[in-house]
Amino acid sequence: MGANGKNGNGRSNGNGNGHGNGKNGLSERPKLAVWKFSSCDGCQLSLLDCEDELLAVAEKVEIAYFLEATRAQVKGPYDISLVEGSISTPEDGKRIRKIRRQSKVLITIGACATAGGIQALRNFGRLYDYITAVYARPDYIDALASSTPISEHVPVDFELRGCPINKHQLLEVLNAFLNHRRPNIPTYSQCVECKRHGTVCVMVAKGTPCLGPVTQAGCGNLCPSCDRGCYGCFGPKETPNTSSLATWFGWQGMSQRDIRHVFRSFNAGAEAFRRESESHE
Amino acid sequence: MVSRKGKTNGDAAAAAGAGTMERAVIDRDGLDALIAALQDDGYQVTGPAVRDGAIVPGRLATGADLPMGWTDSQSGGHYRLEQGDPDRMFDYVVGPQSWKASLYPAEQLLFTARRGEHGFTVDEPRIDAPRLAFFGVRPCDLAAIRTLDTVFEGGPFTDTRYQVRREGVFIVAVNCARSADTCFCASMGTGPKAAGGYDLALTEITAEGRTRFLIEAGSERARPILANLPQQPAGAKDVEAAETAVAKAAKAQTRAMVPEVEALLKRNLESPHWDQVGKRCLNCSNCTLVCPTCFCSTVEDRTSLDGHEAERRRRWDSCFTMDFSYVHGGSIRRESSSRYRQWMTHKLATWHDQFGMSGCVGCGRCIAWCPVGIDITEEARAIADSEGRK
């Protein structure tokens, strides 16, 4: 399903019946599991970073599996699984299928899980070249040729973007699933956040290249409000016009190489950014 | 449109006819005294301030907070604040933010609801709006405020949140003695000189190396304030200098809206040109959010984690988002071209049907703050030209 970015309108909430049985198929005190694949743990950390709100979450859900927080493990099935990280090894591919079978609702969190992450840079080269350059014993490495998002392997009920995700958005998604409503996670541009906050556009006022016009909102306009251009951490927005923005970057004096590189970072594997970067090879 | 006589916008003609103190000349001390007088009257004074490389509205404590010696360079997708004549106070024009943000905040809490034993209770928050004085309102923005008045107060329903904020606002206008390359108010009939709707209007005049301000009262309540400022009588020369300065600004405008644009756009809803502009349009929403008259909003409901409390917030929205045209089953305007067409035809054409006026005031913000420099005047001209080629 891949709510964000796949169908472009973020409308799907994987629930489908906000009413009906009324409980979203979830138990009275739903069991929450947090899973890690190829990733840096930063998105899971956002859940711990919820601090005060985390206590409220822990009251509403049973934290059944969350190794970053506790070694205690409760067996599945699980009502909600939060999945961090990309599918990067054959083992990952097997494990995500097992987790999907054990999860009523599966929500992917972060750029790795939703777009393949920074490690998807390898998709543009040859795996062999990288592992022989990095590892003393490349034969120990059992990795897939590409790093891919979870949604390429199993059905996903909701994709929460960001590198890392925003903790307020994470709480909103959990809150929405617990209350049987659609999450308020907009898919429009970063510019909307900047303008609502009164942040002066760094591209227009300073000539700083910024991916904001093609990037999904959600971070709370962190970089532009600190006088930096948007790095695209939240991936492509709905209907992104990357080619127009790239053409403008070129007119402002940016080289083809630099244009390629701005689209190749945490969300390099997201389709719109991947295609744009490839057109500047 | 709602009449504001005797409140904010006593019309200029009435003021001019009333005799004493309709105009004078003040210097920088006079500006200081004006800001102090407004504060003494209980106004929170908001005016131009330099922040993050642009002129944006900020709180003015004294006249010394006004940005001196700045000018701006603006073109499609380009804005730079630059050093100008160090003795001039108002040589910059409009920046990215308009007065819309003060009258109609980007986010407003509409109500909170709490679940009880028998149903739920709803609380509407009180609107705690300070008494505002807008200092340095340009004629295009004055026209934009008139437009917002019509939208929020002119129809069968009044937006009470807007009304409460708008009610007491004291307006000090500044006529433009300089135009940016993005300005086209002259062709929209909204500037560069204010035609009423203000309490006081300033025009900066420089003669014999001295910068002073012609100040004119536009409302009854402005007269006593003007009378108490340190001043000199306005001579014929001063009035002429102000007229000349404004005329020069009008003449300097390089952009203009094509004539009869309303009919032009209505004739060209199927023009192939929409696809051309759709290829460049980022559908990022910037044009609508910087526009001083774009008023669309969305509401968002949130719940507490336990589901016992909820709140509804109203936020600025934009016709450039997919969600804006979402109805059951999907979004109606999926292409950039259809979203751009919706915005431009509403602004310049169907706004007339809806409100009896144009939605565009010629401030040029949508041109400067479009990240890829799409120019509404150029797009209108391209459509006009395409008719000629048929």
Side-chain angles (χ1 to χ4, degrees), chain B residues 208-241:
Chain B
E208 293 155 7
R210 265 186 83 202
T211 292
R212 299 186 305 161
F213 308 90
L214 179 72
I215 182 166
E216 296 165 276
S219 71
E220 277 306 317
R221 65 176 178 173
R223 279 156 195 280
I225 294 175
L226 175 52
N228 286 323
L229 299 179
Q231 59 186 272
Q232 293 168 316
K237 265 193 172 171
D238 300 315
V239 175
E240 195 188 314

Side-chain angles (χ1 to χ4, degrees), chain A residues 56-230:
Chain A
V57 171
E59 270 179 30
K60 297 302 292 178
V61 299
E62 178 189 1
I63 295 178
Y65 185 96
F66 186 11
L67 290 186
E68 189 161 290
T70 170
R71 277 186 296 179
Q73 298 174 27
V74 180
K75 283 200 162 164
Y78 305 99
D79 291 287
I80 299 178
S81 277
L82 298 178
V83 178
E84 173 197 272
S86 69
I87 301 301
S88 184
T89 66
E91 164 62 21
D92 286 344
K94 284 181 206 146
R95 196 157 60 95
I96 191 61
R97 284 183 179 78
K98 195 175 159 199
I99 289 168
R100 176 70 267 192
R101 281 197 297 275
Q102 292 185 303
S103 309
K104 287 182 184 163
V105 171
L106 190 149
I107 298 166
T108 52
I109 58 170
C112 299
T114 61
I118 190 75
Q119 59 274 26
L121 284 176
R122 76 162 178 252
N123 304 2
F124 300 95
R126 288 201 312 159
L127 177 68
Y128 180 80
D129 295 343
Y130 292 125
I131 57 175
T132 50
V134 172
Y135 297 101
R137 291 293 304 269
D139 51 314
Y140 283 2
I141 305 299
D142 185 15
L144 295 168
S146 59
S147 168
T148 47
I150 302 295
S151 61
E152 284 196 15
H153 302 267
V154 295
V156 170
D157 296 301
F158 194 84
E159 293 188 311
L160 184 62
R161 302 278 197 82
C163 185
I165 53 167
N166 172 297
K167 73 169 190 176
H168 301 290
Q169 286 205 329
L170 176 62
L171 284 168
E172 167 59 16
V173 170
L174 288 174
N175 185 328
F177 275 90
L178 292 171
N179 285 297
H180 327 299
R181 62 172 174 82
R182 185 169 74 90
N184 291 308
I185 303 292
T187 55
Y188 50 58
S189 71
Q190 178 54 233
C191 305
V192 176
E193 275 195 328
C194 274
K195 289 294 180 288
R196 281 186 189 148
H197 283 90
T199 302
V200 174
C201 178
V202 295
M203 194 146 93
V204 171
K206 305 219 170 124
T208 307
C210 177
L211 286 181
V214 295
T215 298
Q216 181 167 305
C219 66
N221 70 327
L222 280 177
C223 290
S225 62
C226 297
D227 216 9
R228 308 294 294 263
C230 170

Side-chain angles (χ1 to χ4, degrees), chain B residues 24-196:
Chain B
V25 170
I26 59 173
D27 56 19
R28 289 191 58 196
D29 291 344
L31 291 186
D32 286 345
L34 173 56
I35 291 171
L38 289 169
Q39 285 165 342
D40 287 347
D41 277 358
Y43 290 105
Q44 182 181 309
V45 185
T46 302
V50 173
R51 175 170 62 77
D52 298 332
I55 296 283
V56 291
R59 187 115 172 232
L60 299 180
T62 72
D65 291 342
L66 284 166
M68 272 289 276
W70 291 101
T71 185
D72 51 30
S73 145
Q74 302 197 42
S75 59
H78 177 94
Y79 176 102
R80 291 291 184 284
L81 209 49
E82 291 169 355
Q83 295 287 345
D85 182 337
D87 294 323
R88 299 272 299 177
M89 185 74 83
F90 297 114
D91 269 354
Y92 47 83
V93 294
V94 295
Q97 267 182 51
S98 68
W99 304 94
K100 176 170 84 171
S102 297
L103 296 170
Y104 167 52
E107 181 170 319
Q108 301 181 59
L109 177 64
L110 296 185
F111 65 74
T112 54
R114 182 182 287 272
R115 197 198 300 272
E117 272 184 40
H118 312 286
F120 56 90
T121 53
V122 173
D123 284 314
E124 271 190 68
R126 222 169 62 89
I127 305 161
D128 258 334
R131 266 181 101 199
L132 285 175
F134 292 170
F135 191 99
V137 180
R138 300 304 177 137
C140 56
D141 278 349
L142 207 51
I145 293 171
R146 273 199 299 277
T147 307
L148 290 180
D149 289 348
T150 308
V151 169
F152 288 123
E153 301 183 328
F157 300 102
T158 296
D159 185 315
T160 49
R161 285 183 173 72
Y162 179 86
Q163 190 180 35
V164 167
R165 290 194 169 82
R166 174 74 174 92
E167 196 132 66
V169 174
F170 190 100
I171 292 180
V172 181
V174 170
N175 293 318
C176 293
R178 182 189 153 263
S179 290
D181 282 349
T182 43
C183 295
F184 59 101
C185 64
S187 67
M188 297 309 295
T190 56
K193 182 174 164 54

Side-chain angles (χ1 to χ4, degrees), chain B residues 267-335:
Chain B
R267 281 197 303 273
N268 283 281
L269 295 178
E270 301 301 335
S271 167
H273 186 73
W274 300 116
D275 287 333
Q276 297 289 315
V277 66
K279 285 192 183 115
R280 283 174 287 136
C281 176
L282 302 172
N283 60 77
C284 61
S285 307
N286 275 302
C287 49
T288 58
L289 297 165
V290 296
C291 176
T293 69
C294 270
F295 58 83
C296 285
S297 63
T298 183
V299 290
E300 183 178 298
D301 293 345
R302 282 181 183 257
T303 48
S304 62
L305 206 56
D306 62 12
H308 288 300
E309 283 169 57
E311 62 178 36
R312 174 166 293 178
R313 287 179 180 275
R314 177 186 186 182
R315 298 218 170 95
W316 286 355
D317 200 4
S318 169
C319 49
F320 282 89
T321 71
M322 287 287 276
D323 204 42
F324 187 87
S325 70
Y326 184 91
V327 292
H328 177 76
S331 294
I332 293 171
R333 300 186 198 106
R334 301 189 69 83
E335 306 298 324

